Amino acid sequence: MAVAQLSPSYTETRFLSSQLSSASTRLYSRRRQALRPSSKARNAKIVCSVAPNEVQAPITPQTKGTRNKPDCFGVFCVTYDLKAEEETKSWKKLINIAVSGAAGMISNHLLFKLASGEVFGPDQPIALKLLGSERSFQALEGVAMELEDSLYPLLREVSIGISPYEVFQDVEWALLIGAKPRGPGMERADLLDINGQIFAEQGKALNAVASRNVKVIVVGNPCNTNALICLKNAPDIPAKNFHALTRLDENRAKCQLALKAGVFYDKVSNVTIWGNHSTTQVPDFLNARINGLPVTEVIKDTAWLEKEFTEKVQKRGGVLIQKWGRSSAASTSVSIVDAIKSLITPTPKGDWFSSGVYTNGNPYGIAEDIVFSMPCRSDGNGDYELVKDVIIDDFLRERLKKTEAELLAEKRCVAHLTGEGNAYCDLPEDTMLPGEM
Amino acid sequence: MAVAQLSPSYTETRFLSSQLSSASTRLYSRRRQALRPSSKARNAKIVCSVAPNEVQAPITPQTKGTRNKPDCFGVFCVTYDLKAEEETKSWKKLINIAVSGAAGMISNHLLFKLASGEVFGPDQPIALKLLGSERSFQALEGVAMELEDSLYPLLREVSIGISPYEVFQDVEWALLIGAKPRGPGMERADLLDINGQIFAEQGKALNAVASRNVKVIVVGNPCNTNALICLKNAPDIPAKNFHALTRLDENRAKCQLALKAGVFYDKVSNVTIWGNHSTTQVPDFLNARINGLPVTEVIKDTAWLEKEFTEKVQKRGGVLIQKWGRSSAASTSVSIVDAIKSLITPTPKGDWFSSGVYTNGNPYGIAEDIVFSMPCRSDGNGDYELVKDVIIDDFLRERLKKTEAELLAEKRCVAHLTGEGNAYCDLPEDTMLPGEM
């Protein structure tokens, strides 16, 4: 990955943090905190719904070596020792998961799924680190209170904050959902700039304080280019650790193929969403399968496949807003869970999943140095590899070129945020998917 | 259980359906449909997001004996045969779960939990039957679309409708969440009447068409008296199958005791919520335990236990609304899941859970023929028994009397809905919990 040219004020931080990478983790972590750019380092508020003098009888003994949890919330401020008890001593080591936009509706579904054990399994204790904004801070407290009241045994720590430099400390997963919605009259270029700035800062924060192998899933739109900005601002984290969420599109595409073929959706496999999470995205029917057969052998209506299928996938969010009056928070959070599970469980033999990933070294001839949704497989260790044996015919190639061109244009539009000089914005049209914020 | 006196228009239906109870299930089911009171029997709309002529290649063979699914939704209209495939042939028999208020926020969390397998386990396929109102019908379609897009393998059928006589057909679980919110200037008596009518009709519908052993959890407020009305209108279903949800109160009480004691919430057990789901409810600290010790031995601050503890539990919902701007849909749905799981998994040795249940035969001296939250244990077969070895001291007894008096007053207030003559409403004060609709 090319190291991005970052703005001068962050140069020292990045230089020193890379020099420190062989130091002990604890020291490194402390130094990194000290080196954090001060203008951005507003401390996370410290919130505890029980005052220290109200705690009358700490039953669990204070365990030596328990790390500080300065921004913990309520009952999640108590110390605990998982190794001390029969039910928990076989559990895995706690993992830290950051969620941005934590007071929003997608997170309101996702956080409870993470806490329940549905995502990482029944022996994986988790710490949730909730990132919100100054404006949403009270709502963050409300979310943390509901997490308290849910009594999830696996949820051991919850902390809330508004500085990514605090919240991303040591996180192994960063689920970046928060983004500014598009206001009236706002162009896609404006949105790219406003949200790009958020993701540039979050990239810097991840680079400074997150686990060196943090996996990042960008949901906030425009997610492909936000993910690109984020990874460019995090040069010490492997670029392949960054994902833009196209899994909801994949899930919707599978459902539409199932409906058309008159089969249950579990019969549909090998569906790729190619390219940008926008109206130029390409739901791929050429490589998709139904009951193991190519979709084109099962659905003979080529006109439907070439036109209506893509429209149905893309218009789904808009139809949902019309019917339900809200955007699709529940199914989006399900697709985030699917995206995580696809990285931590081995992909079924012969199948794959879609994710927006960094294009360097891709075997499809797609331009390098962008984030493009492609077919991926994982052996379940958190990483993925690109699938090689896919067919690309002229019809598919032509559509890939269009979505690639859009992503290259978006990249030029945010050059000031990726350290590649002055931005030049020539986005031809509005390609926001209907029903998305 | 005393058989309720119902309004004349339903007499024939009830009489005949009880005569038919020894006939074959299929015949019984058909006859019951035919006997449905016509004024209420507006057919559920038939909705399918794929038109029949769009289904081109049904891959799954039509299985003989597959029952009709007239009001199915979208991809859930396809036929399937779980016994035909390796991955699904060891699964349990499909269960039918009805959810009312299915377009609301609590359901929006709950339905996805049910569909994911988190509640009934990874080998329990489910059918979701969503009950909404004429007004919310489009939103119901939106919810069903999001369920489609979530591709949950265990979710085999989804149907939507606005008639409980259609939606409750053969259901084994009825999760009754929908209720009218209190409008401006509306008294609790008005609310009891308006919502009581809904639950009277739903009780009749359950009696007419649901599984004879359906388990019913009433969430819509005022939930205790709604549950009483519901069970009185369903004389053919055992009264002990009806529950009023007080589990969120129990969960909140556990969290507050944990906070006060400075322990993690998994150390708190044996917490009972007694009585009404209202401000007269009694969170019981006398019998509660922390790390196996009586709470009164761990928390010495008796003033806090006797006063602030209860206030903290009861004010939680109001604080949440202030902070988060919405009512606590997520944690309410978690507590519904907890309530279901408590009935289908054996209660841990020595512990219990709270549920608002029918008081006939209770060992605590509480008035018969009301729905009162009490400590329950289950062997995991869907039923429960009341816990006998609880201590009731004068302080607790006095508070039980107060919440019992309120429930008796609410019962007099809805006498016209339980078949017990003319209503007489003398509710002394507003006891709605803050933050509840």
Side-chain angles (χ1 to χ4, degrees):
Chain A
M1 190 186 98
V3 174
Q5 186 193 325
L6 290 121
S7 62
S9 62
Y10 291 102
T11 311
E12 191 194 23
T13 311
R14 285 182 307 107
F15 172 76
L16 283 169
S17 70
S18 65
Q19 300 299 302
L20 283 164
S21 60
S22 59
S24 83
T25 309
R26 176 55 70 189
L27 176 64
Y28 180 28
S29 166
R30 285 204 193 116
R31 293 286 290 272
R32 277 186 296 165
Q33 292 222 19
L35 291 165
R36 190 180 307 148
S38 62
S39 65
K40 297 286 183 183
R42 184 193 176 293
N43 281 341
K45 288 185 189 170
I46 295 169
V47 174
C48 215
S49 69
V50 58
N53 61 358
E54 279 191 310
V55 177
Q56 194 200 41
I59 296 295
T60 312
Q62 296 284 328
T63 315
K64 271 182 195 171
T66 306
R67 64 191 184 79
N68 287 332
K69 289 174 285 184
D71 50 353
C72 61
F73 185 90
V75 78
F76 302 108
C77 298
V78 300
T79 51
Y80 60 87
D81 181 1
L82 296 178
K83 292 294 165 208
E85 286 168 57
E86 204 52 49
E87 313 91 73
T88 57
K89 72 180 179 192
S90 63
W91 284 6
K92 294 175 187 160
K93 189 170 163 287
L94 182 95
I95 53 170
N96 293 304
I97 305 168
V99 178
S100 79
M105 287 314 296
I106 295 171
S107 296
N108 200 238
H109 287 269
L110 181 63
L111 293 168
F112 292 81
K113 288 177 194 294
L114 293 166
S116 75
E118 183 190 337
V119 186
F120 288 97
D123 59 350
Q124 177 60 70
I126 66 170
L128 288 177
K129 294 167 163 251
L130 314 186
L131 180 64
S133 62
E134 191 97 43
R135 198 174 51 83
S136 71
F137 194 79
Q138 282 226 321
L140 281 188
E141 292 182 290
V143 172
M145 286 170 69
E146 285 208 83
L147 287 168
E148 281 187 310
D149 291 342
S150 297
L151 310 181
Y152 283 122
L154 291 164
L155 181 62
R156 290 286 155 165
E157 299 175 25
V158 173
S159 54
I160 62 181
I162 64 173
S163 160
Y165 289 89
E166 292 283 348
V167 175
F168 291 166
Q169 187 76 45
D170 300 324
V171 297
E172 281 126 316
W173 289 86
L175 312 173
L176 305 184
I177 298 166
K180 285 246 158 61
R182 189 162 56 164
M186 196 188 279
E187 299 284 324
R188 190 168 173 92
D190 301 330
L191 194 71
L192 275 164
D193 182 52
I194 289 176
N195 280 320
Q197 290 180 40
I198 294 173
F199 286 89
E201 193 200 2
Q202 294 187 0
K204 289 183 175 73
L206 287 167
N207 201 54
V209 300
S211 157
R212 295 301 85 188
N213 198 24
V214 60
K215 303 295 186 291
V216 183
I217 299 180
V218 177
V219 180
N221 280 318
C223 66
N224 291 56
T225 298
N226 287 342
L228 181 71
I229 292 166
C230 199
L231 74 88
K232 288 288 188 177
N233 284 279
D236 300 336
I237 295 167
K240 75 176 293 185
N241 289 20
F242 291 78
H243 297 260
L245 186 80
T246 55
R247 187 56 169 269
L248 179 57
D249 307 298
E250 177 188 322
N251 288 357
R252 288 172 171 171
K254 280 179 169 163
C255 188
Q256 293 307 312
L257 290 172
L259 275 164
K260 180 69 176 173
V263 302
F264 197 61
Y265 42 60
D266 66 344
K267 302 290 174 288
V268 185
S269 64
N270 302 81
V271 172
T272 310
I273 301 294
W274 294 94
N276 202 1
H277 179 71
S278 75
T279 58
T280 65
Q281 72 176 203
V282 183
D284 175 0
F285 57 85
L286 182 63
N287 293 285
R289 291 178 172 263
I290 291 177
N291 278 319
L293 297 171
V295 159
T296 48
E297 287 180 26
V298 179
I299 299 172
K300 303 288 190 188
D301 184 348
T302 309
W304 184 89
L305 286 172
E306 292 188 350
K307 189 155 189 300
E308 282 175 75
F309 167 51
T310 297
E311 283 172 9
K312 278 187 182 287
V313 173
Q314 295 186 348
K315 289 185 177 161
R316 190 78 168 168
V319 175
L320 253 162
I321 287 215
Q322 275 171 16
K323 292 205 177 277
W324 162 235
R326 290 177 248 229
S327 62
S328 46
S331 52
T332 302
S333 84
V334 170
S335 75
I336 298 169
V337 169
D338 289 343
I340 297 170
K341 281 186 173 173
S342 286
L343 292 170
I344 59 173
T345 44
T347 310
K349 192 164 179 294
D351 202 0
W352 62 68
F353 59 91
S354 306
S355 187
V357 291
Y358 195 56
T359 48
N360 279 17
N362 80 83
Y364 317 114
I366 291 156
E368 304 235 313
D369 204 31
I370 53 177
V371 170
F372 197 94
S373 185
M374 300 184 282
C376 305
R377 288 182 52 81
S378 175
D379 59 10
N381 64 355
D383 286 324
Y384 66 89
E385 55 188 28
L386 295 175
V387 176
K388 291 195 177 63
D389 53 340
V390 292
I391 312 159
I392 300 184
D393 65 5
D394 289 347
F395 181 75
L396 181 54
R397 171 68 62 201
E398 188 188 325
R399 298 163 81 208
L400 295 189
K401 281 288 163 204
K402 192 177 169 197
T403 192
E404 178 195 72
E406 179 178 57
L407 281 166
L408 290 168
E410 288 191 9
K411 185 184 169 188
R412 287 192 295 275
C413 213
V414 298
H416 60 304
L417 297 170
T418 57
E420 285 165 16
N422 292 329
Y424 170 70
C425 238
D426 59 345
L427 292 169
E429 56 188 327
D430 186 1
T431 57
M432 199 81 164
L433 286 164
E436 304 235 323
M437 288 306 197
Chain B
M1 190 185 97
V3 174
Q5 186 193 325
L6 290 121
S7 62
S9 62
Y10 292 104
T11 310
E12 191 194 23
T13 311
R14 285 180 307 106
F15 172 75
L16 283 169
S17 68
S18 66
Q19 300 298 301
L20 283 162
S21 60
S22 59
S24 83
T25 308
R26 175 55 70 190
L27 176 66
Y28 181 28
S29 166
R30 285 202 193 118
R31 293 287 290 271
R32 277 186 295 164
Q33 291 223 22
L35 291 166
R36 192 179 306 146
S38 61
S39 65
K40 297 285 184 183
R42 183 193 177 295
N43 281 341
K45 289 185 189 170
I46 295 170
V47 175
C48 216
S49 70
V50 58
N53 61 359
E54 278 191 310
V55 176
Q56 195 201 40
I59 297 294
T60 311
Q62 296 283 328
T63 316
K64 270 182 194 171
T66 305
R67 65 191 182 79
N68 287 332
K69 288 176 284 183
D71 49 354
C72 61
F73 185 89
V75 77
F76 302 107
C77 297
V78 300
T79 51
Y80 59 87
D81 181 1
L82 296 178
K83 292 295 166 206
E85 287 169 56
E86 203 53 49
E87 313 91 74
T88 57
K89 72 181 178 192
S90 63
W91 284 6
K92 295 175 187 160
K93 188 170 164 288
L94 182 95
I95 53 170
N96 293 303
I97 305 168
V99 178
S100 79
M105 287 314 297
I106 296 171
S107 296
N108 200 238
H109 286 269
L110 181 63
L111 292 168
F112 292 82
K113 288 177 194 294
L114 293 166
S116 75
E118 183 190 339
V119 186
F120 288 97
D123 59 350
Q124 178 59 70
I126 66 169
L128 289 177
K129 295 167 161 250
L130 314 186
L131 180 64
S133 62
E134 190 98 44
R135 199 174 49 82
S136 70
F137 195 80
Q138 281 225 321
L140 280 189
E141 292 181 290
V143 172
M145 285 171 68
E146 285 208 82
L147 287 167
E148 282 186 310
D149 291 342
S150 297
L151 310 181
Y152 283 122
L154 291 163
L155 180 62
R156 290 286 154 163
E157 300 175 24
V158 173
S159 55
I160 62 181
I162 64 173
S163 160
Y165 289 89
E166 292 283 349
V167 174
F168 292 165
Q169 187 76 46
D170 300 324
V171 297
E172 281 126 315
W173 289 86
L175 311 173
L176 305 184
I177 298 166
K180 284 247 160 58
R182 188 162 56 165
M186 196 188 279
E187 298 286 322
R188 190 170 173 91
D190 302 329
L191 194 71
L192 275 163
D193 182 52
I194 289 175
N195 280 320
Q197 291 181 39
I198 294 172
F199 286 89
E201 194 200 1
Q202 294 186 359
K204 289 183 175 74
L206 287 167
N207 201 55
V209 300
S211 158
R212 295 302 85 187
N213 198 25
V214 61
K215 303 294 185 291
V216 183
I217 299 180
V218 176
V219 180
N221 280 318
C223 65
N224 291 56
T225 298
N226 287 341
L228 182 71
I229 293 166
C230 199
L231 74 87
K232 288 287 189 178
N233 283 278
D236 300 337
I237 296 168
K240 74 175 294 184
N241 289 18
F242 291 78
H243 298 259
L245 186 79
T246 54
R247 187 57 168 268
L248 179 57
D249 307 298
E250 177 188 321
N251 288 356
R252 288 171 171 173
K254 281 180 168 163
C255 188
Q256 293 307 312
L257 291 172
L259 274 164
K260 180 69 176 173
V263 302
F264 197 62
Y265 41 60
D266 66 345
K267 302 290 174 288
V268 185
S269 65
N270 302 81
V271 172
T272 310
I273 300 294
W274 294 94
N276 202 1
H277 178 70
S278 76
T279 58
T280 66
Q281 71 177 204
V282 184
D284 174 359
F285 58 85
L286 182 64
N287 292 285
R289 291 178 172 262
I290 291 176
N291 278 319
L293 296 171
V295 159
T296 48
E297 287 180 26
V298 178
I299 299 172
K300 302 289 191 187
D301 184 348
T302 309
W304 184 89
L305 286 172
E306 292 188 351
K307 189 157 188 302
E308 283 175 74
F309 167 52
T310 298
E311 284 172 9
K312 278 188 182 287
V313 173
Q314 294 186 347
K315 289 185 176 161
R316 190 78 168 169
V319 175
L320 253 162
I321 287 215
Q322 276 171 17
K323 293 207 177 275
W324 162 234
R326 291 177 247 229
S327 62
S328 47
S331 52
T332 303
S333 83
V334 170
S335 75
I336 298 169
V337 169
D338 289 342
I340 298 170
K341 280 186 173 173
S342 286
L343 293 170
I344 60 172
T345 44
T347 310
K349 193 165 180 294
D351 202 359
W352 61 68
F353 59 90
S354 307
S355 187
V357 292
Y358 195 55
T359 48
N360 278 17
N362 80 83
Y364 317 115
I366 292 157
E368 304 235 312
D369 204 31
I370 53 177
V371 170
F372 197 95
S373 185
M374 300 184 282
C376 305
R377 289 182 51 80
S378 175
D379 59 9
N381 64 355
D383 286 324
Y384 66 89
E385 56 188 28
L386 295 175
V387 176
K388 291 193 177 64
D389 52 339
V390 293
I391 311 159
I392 300 184
D393 65 5
D394 289 347
F395 181 76
L396 181 54
R397 172 68 61 201
E398 189 188 325
R399 298 163 80 208
L400 295 190
K401 282 288 163 203
K402 191 178 169 196
T403 193
E404 178 196 72
E406 179 179 56
L407 281 166
L408 290 168
E410 288 191 11
K411 184 184 169 189
R412 286 191 295 275
C413 213
V414 298
H416 59 304
L417 297 170
T418 57
E420 285 165 16
N422 293 326
Y424 169 72
C425 239
D426 58 345
L427 292 169
E429 55 188 329
D430 186 1
T431 58
M432 199 82 164
L433 285 164
E436 305 235 323
M437 289 306 199

